[in-house]
Amino acid sequence: MREFAATDGDWVRWKHSFGSGFLSLMVSFREDHAKPRLRVRHDVVEVDLCVSVRRFEGLSGARLTARAVELLEEVLVSVQRTTSPPCPWFLGRTKRECEAGYSRPERAPEPRDITIVPQPRLMSAAEFWRRVDEHRLPSPRPSAAGARFSERCRLLMAGLDTERHRACGESVLGFISDDVWEDILVWLVLQGERKYHRFVKDEAALVKQLAVFEEREPEFDGSWLAELEA
């Protein structure tokens, strides 16, 4: 789907119009269904979709993968109402799915009911960096202060989440999956304000710091940030 969105005309035009923002789809599969949750924070749109595995009973191959994509498209139709300009909803079909008779529907699917999560207040930059310098990070459980800290942290992470910075990362660490890259971004922000701004501007400084990450922090886990937002 990512490859499709990178070349499809509708998605390319939307990405250009949406500027530096991005759309994140996080999908989990569980026994029971849960209502999709949508967060719009600054120029980032995040969708958490929990799908019941029961919806895939008896399916395999192209029927199974096409059904998973259709579920995502139903959610994207709802997301369209929250982005400006409205994001596309079609996510393409693989060659195998096309051979099995799946193609682009003639019209958009019915939108899914979705919960819109209010955007928390943003912690001031001064307070955020003071907490980082004093190693006073929020405990990994939901709280108002934790949510404000997380909002500021993610805004700063976006400053490093570019193709140029990721290419620097992969020049040192090799292929980096999305979840590991997010951990790395959290770690870079937590190095402090002075270093953070240097990483944003200076690729050599970033490469040097990532070499430290590879040597000293192989077990770093940034998942506590997600726990603050639960």
Side-chain angles (χ1 to χ4, degrees):
M1 289 184 288
R2 172 175 287 182
E3 292 175 358
F4 174 81
T7 57
D8 176 69
D10 290 339
W11 278 105
V12 170
R13 284 188 291 273
W14 179 77
K15 183 178 180 180
H16 178 75
S17 300
F18 203 49
S20 60
F22 64 89
L23 170 65
S24 169
L25 293 173
M26 302 198 55
V27 184
S28 59
F29 296 92
R30 300 181 183 176
E31 191 68 23
D32 297 316
H33 165 77
K35 192 175 179 181
R37 293 164 58 87
L38 169 69
R39 291 186 184 93
V40 181
R41 44 157 59 98
H42 314 295
D43 55 354
V44 178
V45 179
E46 295 179 328
V47 181
D48 293 330
L49 176 61
C50 177
V51 181
S52 170
V53 293
R54 297 171 185 169
R55 303 193 67 168
F56 299 93
E57 289 180 353
L59 300 180
S60 62
R63 293 178 62 203
L64 188 149
T65 58
R67 182 60 186 137
V69 175
E70 289 168 353
L71 290 172
L72 290 175
E73 290 173 343
E74 292 171 7
V75 173
L76 286 176
V77 173
S78 298
V79 173
Q80 283 185 327
R81 305 169 182 173
T82 67
T83 63
S84 181
C87 69
W89 59 267
F90 183 60
L91 293 172
R93 298 293 183 268
T94 65
K95 180 180 179 181
R96 184 174 63 167
E97 290 164 354
C98 291
E99 290 174 347
Y102 293 95
S103 60
R104 177 169 184 146
E106 294 182 359
R107 60 177 181 272
E110 290 297 317
R112 291 278 297 278
D113 193 18
I114 194 167
T115 297
I116 298 179
V117 180
Q119 181 175 324
R121 291 191 303 140
L122 188 68
M123 179 173 284
S124 70
E127 181 182 357
F128 177 87
W129 290 123
R130 184 166 57 251
R131 280 175 169 264
V132 170
D133 291 342
E134 296 172 357
H135 304 286
R136 291 192 299 112
L137 304 182
S139 57
R141 61 176 183 269
S143 67
R148 292 172 58 235
F149 183 95
S150 171
E151 283 297 296
R152 174 61 65 179
C153 188
R154 288 203 177 273
L155 183 62
L156 293 166
M157 288 164 62
L160 290 167
D161 192 18
T162 70
E163 292 182 4
R164 177 171 61 88
H165 292 100
R166 189 155 183 164
C168 285
E170 295 192 335
S171 71
V172 178
L173 305 172
F175 171 76
I176 303 174
S177 63
D178 289 347
D179 56 338
V180 172
W181 178 239
E182 180 164 294
D183 284 354
I184 291 172
L185 294 178
V186 175
W187 183 78
L188 289 171
V189 170
L190 296 183
Q191 301 310 300
E193 182 177 13
R194 182 176 59 84
K195 286 187 176 182
Y196 167 80
H197 290 297
R198 186 187 303 165
F199 300 152
V200 171
K201 299 178 181 179
D202 186 348
E203 294 181 13
L206 177 60
V207 167
K208 184 177 180 180
Q209 190 68 35
L210 289 170
V212 174
F213 178 87
E214 182 180 33
E215 179 181 351
R216 301 181 185 175
E217 302 290 345
E219 301 300 325
F220 179 80
D221 182 3
S223 63
W224 62 271
L225 190 66
E227 294 178 18
L228 297 178
E229 303 162 348

